[in-house]
Amino acid sequence: VRNLKLDVSQLSVDSASKLSPGSRPFPFLEGLHITGHLPVLALIFRSIGPLQRVSISTHTKSERDWMTTCLQTLVSNAGGRLQDITLQGLDSESMRIDDESTNESHSISSLIHPLTQLHGLQEVELSNIPYVLTNQDVTICANSWPKLRVLIVKAHDSILEDKQSLLGFPALFSLA
């Protein structure tokens, strides 16, 4: 199997914890599209080898603290060849960030920090996530991913309505 699409939304943490770290049940896997809760995904990522493409669909608002753990696990176990990553939030309720929208904890750089180690990334998509994109974040992306060809960041509608994006024209110079 080279590409796999999994929905593990109903899988419990107890069930996922029975996977052996490093077991690599799909040794030739290149692409993974996985949907589920972040604590479960972090456990699954312990058992997969290097991937070229990964797409993660999850509930980012309720499990915000788990996102970094999940991405750290992905990078350490499956990130060696990773070229394309998609993070898709499944939350439909308002994701309004409190008045401290410039706070570092809400910056996309806090989310993607583990991914900055992956200098071979060529395509990154972040959709429907409760984070704010700043000029500094784009600079971090540009410096961390010199092979980047595609960067897609789609904020949740409620964030756009609140005008919480701090991205301006200077960010484009970082990507040039």
Side-chain angles (χ1 to χ4, degrees):
V1 175
R2 296 217 182 270
N3 294 291
L4 186 60
K5 185 173 185 176
L6 291 174
D7 185 340
V8 293
S9 300
Q10 303 303 314
L11 191 64
S12 70
V13 171
D14 288 338
S15 296
S17 65
K18 294 177 185 171
L19 292 169
S20 299
S23 62
R24 298 197 165 91
F26 303 102
F28 301 108
L29 192 63
E30 294 175 358
L32 176 64
H33 179 99
I34 191 163
T35 302
H37 296 282
L38 290 169
V40 171
L41 298 184
L43 291 169
I44 290 172
F45 289 147
R46 292 185 319 166
S47 65
I48 44 179
L51 298 169
Q52 290 179 356
R53 295 170 308 282
V54 67
S55 177
I56 301 168
S57 298
T58 190
H59 294 278
T60 55
K61 185 173 183 180
S62 61
E63 298 174 343
R64 178 185 207 113
D65 296 338
W66 275 96
M67 182 62 82
T68 301
T69 301
C70 186
L71 292 178
Q72 286 171 337
T73 305
L74 174 66
V75 167
S76 62
N77 292 301
R81 300 183 313 157
L82 198 59
Q83 295 175 358
D84 304 336
I85 187 165
T86 299
L87 300 176
Q88 169 77 42
L90 298 175
D91 302 298
S92 58
E93 73 270 9
S94 173
M95 291 187 185
R96 186 177 189 294
I97 296 173
D98 298 331
D99 292 333
E100 302 172 14
S101 62
T102 59
N103 185 317
E104 287 183 19
S105 67
H106 296 303
S107 169
I108 277 185
S109 62
S110 66
L111 164 71
I112 63 168
H113 180 71
L115 301 178
T116 59
Q117 301 170 44
L118 303 176
H119 304 294
L121 283 178
Q122 296 176 16
E123 296 187 22
V124 176
E125 180 175 347
L126 308 169
S127 299
N128 200 31
I129 55 173
Y131 291 86
V132 176
L133 181 66
T134 67
N135 292 328
Q136 181 181 358
D137 296 329
V138 175
T139 301
I140 290 169
C141 293
N143 291 335
S144 299
W145 307 322
K147 297 179 181 181
L148 188 66
R149 296 181 322 212
V150 177
L151 175 62
I152 300 171
V153 180
K154 299 177 187 173
H156 189 274
D157 289 341
S158 63
I159 291 175
L160 294 175
E161 289 168 5
D162 290 338
K163 297 182 176 109
Q164 294 183 9
S165 176
L166 303 175
L167 184 62
F169 187 72
L172 299 178
F173 293 116
S174 300
L175 295 171

